[in-house]
PDB file of all heavy atoms in Angstrom:
ATOM      1  N   ASP A  11      17.254  18.116   1.478  1.00 97.00           N
ATOM      2  CA  ASP A  11      17.742  19.500   1.511  1.00 97.00           C
ATOM      3  C   ASP A  11      19.250  19.459   1.332  1.00 97.00           C
ATOM      4  O   ASP A  11      19.884  18.375   1.440  1.00 97.00           O
ATOM      5  CB  ASP A  11      17.424  20.132   2.916  1.00 97.00           C
ATOM      6  CG  ASP A  11      17.940  21.537   3.009  1.00 97.00           C
ATOM      7  OD1 ASP A  11      17.826  22.306   2.031  1.00 97.00           O
ATOM      8  OD2 ASP A  11      18.522  21.901   4.052  1.00 97.00           O
ATOM      9  N   SER A  12      19.817  20.619   1.057  1.00 96.00           N
ATOM     10  CA  SER A  12      21.288  20.689   0.878  1.00 96.00           C
ATOM     11  C   SER A  12      21.987  20.403   2.186  1.00 96.00           C
ATOM     12  O   SER A  12      23.168  20.082   2.206  1.00 96.00           O
ATOM     13  CB  SER A  12      21.660  22.122   0.410  1.00 96.00           C
ATOM     14  OG  SER A  12      21.157  23.074   1.310  1.00 96.00           O
ATOM     15  N   VAL A  41      26.835  20.889   1.159  1.00 94.00           N
ATOM     16  CA  VAL A  41      26.219  22.181   1.443  1.00 94.00           C
ATOM     17  C   VAL A  41      27.325  23.248   1.406  1.00 94.00           C
ATOM     18  O   VAL A  41      28.481  22.947   1.750  1.00 94.00           O
ATOM     19  CB  VAL A  41      25.530  22.124   2.846  1.00 94.00           C
ATOM     20  CG1 VAL A  41      26.549  22.067   3.986  1.00 94.00           C
ATOM     21  CG2 VAL A  41      24.522  23.217   3.064  1.00 94.00           C
ATOM     22  N   PRO A  42      27.085  24.500   1.013  1.00 96.00           N
ATOM     23  CA  PRO A  42      25.829  25.069   0.563  1.00 96.00           C
ATOM     24  C   PRO A  42      25.558  24.889  -0.933  1.00 96.00           C
ATOM     25  O   PRO A  42      26.510  24.788  -1.682  1.00 96.00           O
ATOM     26  CB  PRO A  42      26.017  26.555   0.884  1.00 96.00           C
ATOM     27  CG  PRO A  42      27.480  26.782   0.699  1.00 96.00           C
ATOM     28  CD  PRO A  42      28.161  25.504   1.132  1.00 96.00           C
ATOM     29  N   TYR A  43      24.289  24.819  -1.272  1.00 97.00           N
ATOM     30  CA  TYR A  43      23.913  24.778  -2.704  1.00 97.00           C
ATOM     31  C   TYR A  43      23.708  26.216  -3.216  1.00 97.00           C
ATOM     32  O   TYR A  43      23.767  26.442  -4.422  1.00 97.00           O
ATOM     33  CB  TYR A  43      22.584  24.052  -2.871  1.00 97.00           C
ATOM     34  CG  TYR A  43      22.649  22.518  -2.788  1.00 97.00           C
ATOM     35  CD1 TYR A  43      23.739  21.849  -2.321  1.00 97.00           C
ATOM     36  CD2 TYR A  43      21.554  21.800  -3.205  1.00 97.00           C
ATOM     37  CE1 TYR A  43      23.751  20.462  -2.216  1.00 97.00           C
ATOM     38  CE2 TYR A  43      21.536  20.407  -3.133  1.00 97.00           C
ATOM     39  CZ  TYR A  43      22.648  19.742  -2.644  1.00 97.00           C
ATOM     40  OH  TYR A  43      22.645  18.398  -2.567  1.00 97.00           O
ATOM     41  N   GLY A  44      23.408  27.122  -2.316  1.00 97.00           N
ATOM     42  CA  GLY A  44      22.917  28.460  -2.664  1.00 97.00           C
ATOM     43  C   GLY A  44      23.862  29.308  -3.513  1.00 97.00           C
ATOM     44  O   GLY A  44      23.457  30.259  -4.149  1.00 97.00           O
ATOM     45  N   CYS A  74      14.740  22.307   0.026  1.00 97.00           N
ATOM     46  CA  CYS A  74      15.717  23.337  -0.282  1.00 97.00           C
ATOM     47  C   CYS A  74      15.199  24.256  -1.370  1.00 97.00           C
ATOM     48  O   CYS A  74      14.818  23.811  -2.475  1.00 97.00           O
ATOM     49  CB  CYS A  74      16.992  22.629  -0.774  1.00 97.00           C
ATOM     50  SG  CYS A  74      18.290  23.712  -1.258  1.00 97.00           S
ATOM     51  N   ASN A  75      15.164  25.563  -1.109  1.00 97.00           N
ATOM     52  CA  ASN A  75      14.701  26.534  -2.094  1.00 97.00           C
ATOM     53  C   ASN A  75      15.599  26.554  -3.329  1.00 97.00           C
ATOM     54  O   ASN A  75      15.115  26.656  -4.452  1.00 97.00           O
ATOM     55  CB  ASN A  75      14.684  27.931  -1.482  1.00 97.00           C
ATOM     56  CG  ASN A  75      13.507  28.093  -0.559  1.00 97.00           C
ATOM     57  OD1 ASN A  75      12.476  28.683  -0.889  1.00 97.00           O
ATOM     58  ND2 ASN A  75      13.639  27.598   0.686  1.00 97.00           N
ATOM     59  N   SER A  76      16.923  26.453  -3.114  1.00 97.00           N
ATOM     60  CA  SER A  76      17.851  26.495  -4.242  1.00 97.00           C
ATOM     61  C   SER A  76      17.637  25.307  -5.184  1.00 97.00           C
ATOM     62  O   SER A  76      17.645  25.489  -6.384  1.00 97.00           O
ATOM     63  CB  SER A  76      19.312  26.528  -3.745  1.00 97.00           C
ATOM     64  OG  SER A  76      19.484  27.579  -2.804  1.00 97.00           O
ATOM     65  N   THR A 118      18.826  32.648  -1.332  1.00 97.00           N
ATOM     66  CA  THR A 118      20.238  32.534  -1.680  1.00 97.00           C
ATOM     67  C   THR A 118      20.460  33.121  -3.082  1.00 97.00           C
ATOM     68  O   THR A 118      19.494  33.417  -3.793  1.00 97.00           O
ATOM     69  CB  THR A 118      20.654  31.040  -1.725  1.00 97.00           C
ATOM     70  OG1 THR A 118      19.903  30.415  -2.783  1.00 97.00           O
ATOM     71  CG2 THR A 118      20.432  30.338  -0.407  1.00 97.00           C
ATOM     72  N   CYS A 185      14.200  30.628   1.852  1.00 95.00           N
ATOM     73  CA  CYS A 185      15.359  29.809   2.186  1.00 95.00           C
ATOM     74  C   CYS A 185      15.063  29.048   3.449  1.00 95.00           C
ATOM     75  O   CYS A 185      14.424  29.574   4.368  1.00 95.00           O
ATOM     76  CB  CYS A 185      16.580  30.723   2.375  1.00 95.00           C
ATOM     77  SG  CYS A 185      18.062  29.844   2.946  1.00 95.00           S
ATOM     78  N   THR A 186      15.534  27.800   3.483  1.00 92.00           N
ATOM     79  CA  THR A 186      15.284  26.952   4.644  1.00 92.00           C
ATOM     80  C   THR A 186      15.651  27.581   5.995  1.00 92.00           C
ATOM     81  O   THR A 186      15.035  27.327   6.999  1.00 92.00           O
ATOM     82  CB  THR A 186      16.140  25.655   4.507  1.00 92.00           C
ATOM     83  OG1 THR A 186      17.438  26.045   4.144  1.00 92.00           O
ATOM     84  CG2 THR A 186      15.510  24.703   3.521  1.00 92.00           C
ATOM     85  N   HIS A 187      16.747  28.381   5.975  1.00 92.00           N
ATOM     86  CA  HIS A 187      17.268  28.915   7.211  1.00 92.00           C
ATOM     87  C   HIS A 187      16.537  30.132   7.759  1.00 92.00           C
ATOM     88  O   HIS A 187      16.614  30.445   8.919  1.00 92.00           O
ATOM     89  CB  HIS A 187      18.739  29.272   7.051  1.00 92.00           C
ATOM     90  CG  HIS A 187      19.659  28.111   6.908  1.00 92.00           C
ATOM     91  ND1 HIS A 187      19.479  27.123   5.940  1.00 92.00           N
ATOM     92  CD2 HIS A 187      20.786  27.759   7.574  1.00 92.00           C
ATOM     93  CE1 HIS A 187      20.437  26.242   6.038  1.00 92.00           C
ATOM     94  NE2 HIS A 187      21.246  26.586   7.017  1.00 92.00           N
TER      95      HIS A 187
HETATM   96  N1  DGL B   1      18.810  24.967   1.760  1.00 55.21           N
HETATM   97  C1  DGL B   1      19.279  26.149   1.078  1.00 55.21           C
HETATM   98  C2  DGL B   1      18.043  26.879   0.493  1.00 55.21           C
HETATM   99  O1  DGL B   1      16.959  26.807   1.010  1.00 55.21           O
HETATM  100  C3  DGL B   1      20.076  27.070   1.962  1.00 55.21           C
HETATM  101  C4  DGL B   1      21.450  26.520   2.300  1.00 55.21           C
HETATM  102  C5  DGL B   1      22.313  26.310   1.058  1.00 55.21           C
HETATM  103  O2  DGL B   1      22.762  27.330   0.419  1.00 55.21           O
HETATM  104  O3  DGL B   1      22.511  25.170   0.682  1.00 55.21           O
HETATM  105  O4  DGL B   1      18.190  27.572  -0.475  1.00 55.21           O
END
Side-chain angles (χ1 to χ4, degrees):
D11 178 42
S12 56
V41 70
Y43 284 12
C74 178
N75 286 259
S76 307
T118 63
C185 173
T186 45
H187 289 54

